[in-house]
Amino acid sequence: VSRAVSDVPPIHYVTKINMFSQLSKNNIVKYISSHFDAGGYKWKLAIHPNGNKNKGITDHISFYLGIVEGESPSPGWEVRATFRLFLLDQNKDNYLILQDVEEKGRRFRGTKLEWGFDRFISHDAFKNPENGYLINDTSVFGAEVYVCQEKGATKGECLSMVKDAVSYKNTWRIENYSGLKDDCVDSKVFVAADKKWKIQLYPKGKGSGTGSYVSLYLTLDKPGNLPPTSKIYAEFTLRMLDQISSKHYFRKANYWFSASNTTSGWPRFVSHAYFSTTSVGLLVQNVCLVDAEVTVHGIVKAL
């Protein structure tokens, strides 16, 4: 810590406290100043009139500079700043200045929003009227802040491929198929690789399959819960089970699923004519069995 005296007032912020003794009498263990701007960021001062109890300080005033939470805040983001904290000597009209000797400045970031001095000035020195720091129960504190380096929240992503990926299967039994009235019918939600999925079937077809085909898709359930940059690389197979000879009708694909690309499948999965042929076995006693097999091979997350 470097100590100096100057008759130049702090350029960024001053906090004047009248009736200083009333802080302790009203159990104000820490006073937080209003926010102020310096170097393009918002800051605040924290004054512990009876010392920072969390640091075991009882015989000094503790005085800190903090970056305002919400200004600093994403992981990997930081501001390196040098700063000086001031205390006015009202007798001589000059300032006691404490400055950290760390030449590169201190790193203000999400996990360390505050820097300063646990032992800014002893109670004895502060209360001694000859020093001029507390006159008529009034004191004046101040600060200067100089941002010397910024580290932005670097955007990036991490792709984690899955070794020996496991396949998850789910079978959906659709009864009274001919009685389906909705354009789209959803299966119950199932879980594969810790993600929630469902099958969507369009009895009358969708898109290019409308009117002549059954359309079948795999879709993420509640994709709004996914972070915007998250992606899931999945291999999947959709099957209609042949209930007579076990010669199942299926299609297979690979797809990057995300919050903006939630669904993949086939508008022309199977024609109505083939699907309804009794000997094919896809529709037996008005029951259709649809199977989804999902293997997640990779997941992308934001850094």
Side-chain angles (χ1 to χ4, degrees):
V1 177
S2 170
R3 292 178 179 265
V5 174
S6 173
D7 58 3
V8 179
I11 63 173
H12 288 131
Y13 203 69
V14 167
T15 295
K16 182 177 182 179
I17 302 177
N18 294 321
M19 303 299 291
F20 188 92
S21 62
Q22 294 299 310
L23 295 176
S24 298
K25 291 181 180 180
N26 287 280
N27 297 315
I28 299 176
V29 297
K30 179 170 70 171
Y31 174 71
I32 303 295
S33 75
S34 300
H35 302 166
F36 62 95
D37 295 315
Y41 297 90
K42 292 188 182 296
W43 307 85
K44 59 186 177 181
L45 302 179
I47 302 167
H48 299 247
N50 290 317
N52 188 342
K53 301 299 189 295
N54 293 331
K55 299 290 186 68
I57 309 300
T58 59
D59 57 352
H60 282 68
I61 291 175
S62 301
F63 188 17
Y64 305 96
L65 171 73
I67 194 165
V68 175
E69 194 167 7
E71 293 291 316
S72 61
S74 58
W77 188 103
E78 66 180 47
V79 171
R80 191 180 288 271
T82 60
F83 60 93
R84 304 197 297 169
L85 298 183
F86 292 66
L87 178 60
L88 176 63
D89 177 348
Q90 300 171 63
N91 292 335
K92 299 178 180 177
D93 195 27
N94 59 25
Y95 292 86
L96 170 67
I97 302 172
L98 268 66
Q99 182 171 356
D100 198 322
V101 295
E102 180 63 44
E103 293 182 359
K104 295 181 179 179
R106 291 295 185 180
R107 295 166 60 202
F108 293 84
R109 57 195 190 279
T111 57
K112 182 65 174 175
L113 296 169
E114 189 176 86
W115 287 97
F117 307 102
D118 299 332
R119 294 179 172 84
F120 181 75
I121 189 170
S122 70
H123 289 156
D124 290 341
F126 179 70
K127 294 177 182 178
N128 187 338
E130 294 182 1
N131 292 330
Y133 303 132
L134 185 65
I135 302 296
N136 296 324
D137 208 14
T138 296
S139 60
V140 179
F141 296 82
E144 291 182 350
V145 188
Y146 302 95
V147 174
C148 49
Q149 185 179 0
E150 301 174 64
K151 180 181 177 183
T154 302
K155 295 181 179 180
E157 63 181 32
C158 175
L159 168 61
S160 299
M161 298 302 294
V162 179
K163 184 179 180 181
D164 301 323
V166 177
S167 296
Y168 299 82
K169 292 185 179 181
N170 182 74
T171 300
W172 178 22
R173 181 184 178 90
I174 306 173
E175 298 185 355
N176 190 27
Y177 185 91
S178 63
L180 298 177
K181 302 300 182 183
D182 295 334
D183 292 338
C184 177
V185 183
D186 290 354
S187 72
K188 290 184 178 179
V189 174
F190 63 95
V191 176
D194 297 325
K195 299 294 184 292
K196 293 183 178 180
W197 310 81
K198 59 186 178 182
I199 307 167
Q200 289 184 331
L201 182 143
Y202 293 78
K204 300 176 183 179
K206 179 184 178 182
S208 62
T210 300
S212 301
Y213 289 81
V214 176
S215 303
L216 199 60
Y217 299 88
L218 175 70
T219 186
L220 283 167
D221 182 57
K222 296 181 179 178
N225 294 337
L226 283 175
T229 56
S230 179
K231 292 186 290 187
I232 303 160
Y233 181 62
E235 175 186 352
F236 69 97
T237 302
L238 296 181
R239 300 182 183 90
M240 284 189 171
L241 305 187
D242 180 346
Q243 302 172 60
I244 298 175
S245 63
S246 299
K247 295 180 181 179
H248 307 316
Y249 188 89
F250 70 93
R251 298 200 179 197
K252 188 175 183 178
N254 296 285
Y255 191 71
W256 285 99
F257 291 88
S258 67
S260 58
N261 295 287
T262 61
T263 303
S264 181
W266 295 271
R268 297 185 177 188
F269 184 81
V270 61
S271 70
H272 286 163
Y274 187 81
F275 176 75
S276 60
T277 300
T278 303
S279 60
V280 172
L282 300 184
L283 186 64
V284 176
Q285 295 181 354
N286 211 20
V287 173
C288 174
L289 299 178
V290 179
D291 181 275
E293 182 176 351
V294 182
T295 307
V296 174
H297 290 289
I299 296 177
V300 175
K301 294 182 179 180
L303 289 174

